[in-house]
Amino acid sequence: MSQSQHSVADDSEAKPVLAASLHDVRYLVALLRGISFSNRATVTLTADGGMTVSVEESRTLVATSYIYPDHFDEWTYTPPPPPPKSASASATQATELTNDDDDEADTNTTTAFEVPLNTLIDCLGIYGTANLTSLASSSGGPKHRRWRRDGESGDEGDGDGGRRGGGGGGGGRGRRDEAPSNNSRIDAYFGAASNEKRTSARVSYGGPGYPLALLLAEDASGPTTTCEIATFDPEPGVDLPFDGERTVLKIIFKSSSWLRDALAELDPSCDKITFTCNPPAAAAANNAPQPQQPQQRGGGSTAKPLFRIQASGTFGSTEMDYPNDREVLETYECGAPLSATYRFGHIARTLRALQSSTKTSLRIDDAGLLSLQFLVPVPVPKPRGGSGGGGGGGTSNSFIEFRCLALDDGTSY
Amino acid sequence: MRFRANIENVPIFYRTIQAVEKLQKKCIIKFTETEMHIICNDDANEGGIQVWSVVKVDSIFASYRIQSNANNQITMILATDALLQALRSSSTSAATSSVAAAVLPTYDSDEVVMKLAKKHDQAVLAFEMLGISRTGRKIRVAHDVRVDVMRPSDVDRLREPLCPEPDVHILLPNLQKLRTIVERIRPLSDIIAIRANNSGKLQVSIDTDTVKLETQWTGCANPPMARDELTQDAEDPAHEHDPDELFSVHVSIRSFLKFLNSHVVSTTTIACVCQNHCAILYVYIGEVADAGGVLTYYIPTVIDGDE
């Protein structure tokens, strides 16, 4: 890994590889912070896909944030000229040529580099106005339903009695403010923006060997900050391709809090976490005879739960079962019984991403590869060219994806 | 040796001590007939930061009486947190962090008396507060802060750091905002560069292997300094300064943050840069016009291999 920085005056006439600007860095920071468990992140720029930032841990866990061009007020990506050609000539010609082949080549070009992620986040947050604290609470509101408790009337085949934790103290915790707050996100974007300060940023990257340059400002009268963050040549990262054909389990949590609360409940000292699932028919048949009866702790393993999260550690184990309720599991597709075990430390890495997301998709393939996708809505600035301001063009859905390999011993198909 | 005073403006006194308390556990307070000097000059301080402050007696005290064999001066060493505790209990409004509390005279105690006393063969600074509780009862609260009175010969040895004539004076932006920024930079570097010029530009920057960061303010005021004019009259032709020339000093970021703790007391802060020597920061207590007092921070430069 070599760090090499050209002097900026080198070829100032060549277009920078990336020139982008955004008027509110909070969503960018939320997307980056969701994966900030390791300092070294690989940033990949593509012509149409925008920017992906990925981080890996022990070649088992890969987390990727997708940052689309429409999140930015301005986004210009010029793939760097291929190195073998004489650089200065091709850079100027490439823009003039209308040749199809050339365009084709350009759109396929990707640029990758590594940056110290925590440094990047620290720089973006320099004015202290880059934190997205309101997102999770305000957006989760309308979709969020508290756990159904024993004794309450269930409306359908939800005999499982909701969640059953080792601690059992989850009832009160799950109760959340249900007041409709449809507008709160809009408020966060418009109303709050008018009286609260936002950090706006201009991002540029000159190409391999150049630093990632940021220009940050709060308002016209305030200070301006320039940062140059060293970039590194990318190292080949671990690739964990998820083949949709081989999906065994697919769950969409209607609200990310259904998973977040469950994971947050688990003791940090746990070392393994197991996801167990059964096809809905099998689970229903199993549970039909005793719909409202709490299961015995020991007997839990013999029953066929629909979807169960089980965590174990030195101090004991915790089991949580999810009901087959569309309000909780919006989608539940399970082809065959499956149980896959992961290192809890890896799964716990997702908590920060869960914090800023609204919906979660969980998929596991037949080899136990876990794919968690967290939907993060990002308000889209005005149509291109407009200076942005507060005018929203709706929201764009971005997401953070975590992929994790299963532990060898605990997976049964 | 006699010393007795009524503390009229507890919040200001409280905030001043609060700003100093973050710096070191013990500080020196020297009372003279007209001024109170608070001195932190411990060599062991992070980055060698020192504070020498002067507060006019009138801006905090009333019925101030002092008498001693050494020019009617009394110098004592005391624990800052003990003093802070005593002041905190004398006024709840002092403990609240809003600046409004400093302005509004909302004391719970009618009277706070501070006097030098001797209890059990130990010199103490006795604080006595008389007040009325919420239910209307009279209450009396007393705090004794143990002090060591310094001998006049030791006092004479206290010397304010000698600095060359600063290259530039500049009015700092709101300290609280500056503090937010410096706090974010803190994890990235140990050393911060402060640069300023005579045309209102101020920069704080770091330069490490992984990141170069620079925050810049423009349009800061360069206050005219009385001393400036004096020296300029003498050697004006020889010293034509380019107003855009930046003067810089590298200081420990932790010391700089300690100085920024004084945002609780500051209204106006003037920074002086002695190029590659030190930064001197004058934190005015109360309005500049009143000139009730000033906390002077000396932060020496960090000798860096690169410089």
Side-chain angles (χ1 to χ4, degrees):
Chain A
M1 195 177 310
S2 66
Q3 179 198 349
S4 56
Q5 291 189 9
H6 296 271
S7 67
V8 184
D10 210 22
D11 48 345
S12 51
E13 285 171 36
K15 275 180 106 179
V17 171
L18 172 70
S21 71
L22 66 171
H23 68 276
D24 183 358
V25 298
R26 289 181 306 154
Y27 296 91
L28 176 62
V29 170
L31 285 168
L32 294 178
R33 194 165 278 158
I35 58 165
S36 65
F37 55 81
S38 164
N39 195 26
R40 188 53 63 87
T42 307
V43 178
T44 312
L45 303 169
T46 52
D48 44 2
M51 187 195 280
T52 60
V53 185
S54 60
V55 160
E56 68 158 85
E57 183 172 299
S58 40
R59 307 195 80 73
T60 310
L61 176 70
V62 178
T64 311
S65 273
Y66 294 85
I67 301 156
Y68 298 117
D70 62 0
H71 299 173
F72 296 88
D73 299 280
E74 202 187 310
W75 170 273
T76 316
Y77 172 64
T78 318
K85 289 185 194 170
S86 81
S88 58
S90 61
T92 47
Q93 275 167 17
T95 51
E96 288 159 24
L97 285 175
T98 46
N99 193 321
D100 276 351
D101 286 338
D102 239 331
D103 286 348
E104 196 77 34
D106 275 357
T107 49
N108 289 337
T109 321
T110 62
T111 313
F113 58 91
E114 287 190 5
V115 286
L117 185 60
N118 293 330
T119 305
L120 177 60
I121 293 172
D122 280 337
C123 288
L124 287 169
I126 188 159
Y127 299 121
T129 50
N131 278 331
L132 197 60
T133 45
S134 59
L135 180 66
S137 55
S138 59
S139 59
K143 289 172 191 139
H144 202 128
R145 294 230 334 219
R146 65 198 166 89
W147 297 101
R148 189 173 293 125
R149 298 153 89 196
D150 287 346
E152 282 183 82
S153 57
D155 45 13
E156 46 180 32
D158 167 41
D160 227 21
R163 173 165 79 168
R164 198 162 294 116
R173 225 185 98 85
R175 190 190 291 271
R176 283 287 159 86
D177 152 37
E178 280 184 88
S181 53
N182 282 314
N183 288 329
S184 56
R185 283 216 56 222
I186 294 283
D187 287 345
Y189 192 56
F190 291 110
S194 57
N195 49 25
E196 244 180 89
K197 288 193 171 167
R198 296 281 171 255
T199 308
S200 53
R202 175 167 284 280
V203 185
S204 62
Y205 173 61
Y210 284 93
L212 183 69
L214 303 174
L215 178 64
L216 303 157
E218 233 177 10
D219 51 32
S221 59
T224 54
T225 300
T226 51
C227 309
E228 288 187 2
I229 301 170
T231 59
F232 301 86
D233 294 339
E235 288 208 332
V238 60
D239 193 23
L240 303 174
F242 193 93
D243 184 358
E245 297 283 304
R246 293 167 58 192
T247 306
V248 177
L249 171 68
K250 181 181 173 188
I251 294 176
I252 294 175
F253 294 90
K254 190 159 184 182
S255 163
S256 283
S257 53
W258 293 128
L259 183 61
R260 187 182 67 221
D261 288 354
L263 292 182
E265 188 82 0
L266 297 173
D267 193 83
S269 69
C270 292
D271 47 39
K272 284 178 184 173
I273 183 166
T274 306
F275 296 116
T276 308
C277 65
N278 283 295
N286 178 269
N287 289 320
Q290 64 276 35
Q292 293 286 347
Q293 228 162 53
Q295 278 173 296
Q296 310 287 303
R297 288 272 301 131
S301 54
T302 55
K304 284 185 177 170
L306 187 79
F307 178 61
R308 169 179 294 170
I309 295 176
Q310 180 179 21
S312 61
T314 15
F315 301 119
S317 67
T318 310
E319 278 177 20
M320 287 178 252
D321 287 358
Y322 281 77
N324 190 5
D325 184 342
R326 290 276 167 273
E327 288 299 314
V328 179
L329 306 180
E330 195 175 86
T331 303
Y332 183 86
E333 288 167 18
C334 177
L338 171 96
S339 166
T341 303
Y342 306 89
R343 201 155 285 295
F344 180 70
H346 288 159
I347 302 302
R349 297 291 199 195
T350 61
L351 276 171
R352 237 181 311 192
L354 274 165
Q355 213 87 55
S356 48
S357 82
T358 52
K359 271 190 187 190
T360 300
S361 138
L362 181 153
R363 290 181 301 164
I364 299 177
D365 80 358
D366 59 5
L369 175 64
L370 173 73
S371 158
L372 281 164
Q373 291 177 330
F374 306 107
L375 195 75
V376 181
V378 178
V380 175
K382 264 206 172 119
R384 289 302 177 72
S387 56
T395 52
S396 152
N397 286 325
S398 186
F399 62 96
I400 300 174
E401 177 165 21
F402 279 71
R403 285 186 187 163
C404 187
L405 290 172
L407 288 171
D408 268 345
D409 49 342
T411 311
S412 64
Y413 317 110
Chain B
M1 207 181 282
R2 284 164 213 278
F3 175 64
R4 186 201 141 93
N6 279 13
I7 308 177
E8 286 285 286
N9 197 338
V10 178
I12 291 283
F13 196 14
Y14 178 79
R15 269 151 223 266
T16 312
I17 299 299
Q18 204 179 15
V20 169
E21 189 241 343
K22 301 275 180 5
L23 213 63
Q24 56 186 38
K25 287 199 165 68
K26 292 206 161 190
C27 73
I28 299 171
I29 300 187
K30 179 162 119 183
F31 291 99
T32 69
E33 285 175 311
T34 53
E35 286 163 341
M36 174 176 73
H37 299 253
I38 302 171
I39 299 164
C40 298
N41 67 339
D42 199 331
D43 289 337
N45 275 342
E46 170 71 38
I49 184 171
Q50 296 198 8
V51 178
W52 290 72
S53 72
V54 181
V55 182
K56 281 195 183 146
V57 158
D58 300 344
S59 57
I60 294 182
F61 305 107
S63 354
Y64 184 86
R65 262 171 289 164
I66 188 164
Q67 224 174 33
S68 83
N69 289 334
N71 272 335
N72 289 341
Q73 294 184 354
I74 298 174
T75 309
M76 56 187 81
I77 302 175
L78 47 78
T80 39
D81 58 338
L83 178 58
L84 206 60
Q85 294 268 356
L87 292 170
R88 187 181 293 143
S89 63
S90 64
S91 163
T92 48
S93 60
T96 60
S97 57
S98 81
V99 180
V103 181
L104 300 171
T106 52
Y107 309 137
D108 298 328
S109 332
D110 299 333
E111 202 182 8
V112 185
V113 179
M114 174 177 77
K115 62 187 172 199
L116 192 62
K118 197 168 203 178
K119 289 190 182 167
H120 310 295
D121 278 340
Q122 171 63 49
V124 293
L125 205 52
F127 290 82
E128 198 175 287
M129 301 133 222
L130 295 170
I132 293 169
S133 74
R134 262 174 228 277
T135 50
R137 279 192 211 157
K138 277 193 179 174
I139 41 173
R140 179 184 160 276
V141 181
H143 274 259
D144 289 339
V145 177
R146 197 173 146 163
V147 299
D148 292 319
V149 176
M150 286 174 80
R151 274 176 296 175
S153 58
D154 289 338
V155 176
D156 289 344
R157 248 177 270 147
L158 291 172
R159 286 271 183 274
E160 201 158 339
L162 272 177
C163 295
E165 187 62 29
D167 295 295
V168 58
H169 296 85
I170 196 160
L171 211 63
L172 288 187
N174 184 323
L175 287 195
Q176 210 153 358
K177 275 186 193 152
L178 183 58
R179 194 176 109 148
T180 318
I181 291 169
V182 177
E183 266 178 350
R184 303 292 151 141
I185 299 177
R186 165 80 196 86
L188 304 175
S189 173
D190 290 331
I191 293 169
I192 190 166
I194 302 162
R195 295 192 205 101
N197 69 7
N198 279 305
S199 52
K201 191 187 277 183
L202 172 77
Q203 298 177 339
V204 293
S205 79
I206 56 166
D207 188 351
T208 65
D209 290 345
T210 49
V211 64
K212 288 188 179 66
L213 185 149
E214 179 182 288
T215 300
Q216 173 173 305
W217 286 261
T218 51
C220 299
N222 291 105
M225 285 285 144
R227 277 188 293 172
D228 262 6
E229 283 158 22
L230 280 177
T231 53
Q232 261 169 25
D233 284 344
E235 42 171 322
D236 202 19
H239 263 271
E240 263 311 294
H241 273 308
D242 177 8
D244 290 331
E245 187 188 349
L246 283 168
F247 296 97
S248 76
V249 62
H250 292 72
V251 298
S252 145
I253 203 161
R254 301 239 290 271
S255 325
F256 196 60
L257 272 174
K258 293 223 163 117
F259 143 67
L260 288 170
N261 283 325
S262 67
H263 72 90
V264 288
V265 75
S266 103
T267 47
T268 312
T269 307
I270 296 176
C272 305
V273 174
C274 306
Q275 171 115 313
N276 294 334
H277 190 282
C278 70
I280 311 170
L281 302 131
Y282 298 102
V283 179
Y284 288 89
I285 301 165
E287 289 304 313
V288 191
D290 299 348
V294 62
L295 283 164
T296 312
Y297 286 77
Y298 294 92
I299 313 179
T301 188
V302 175
I303 306 298
D304 199 352
D306 301 345
E307 283 303 306

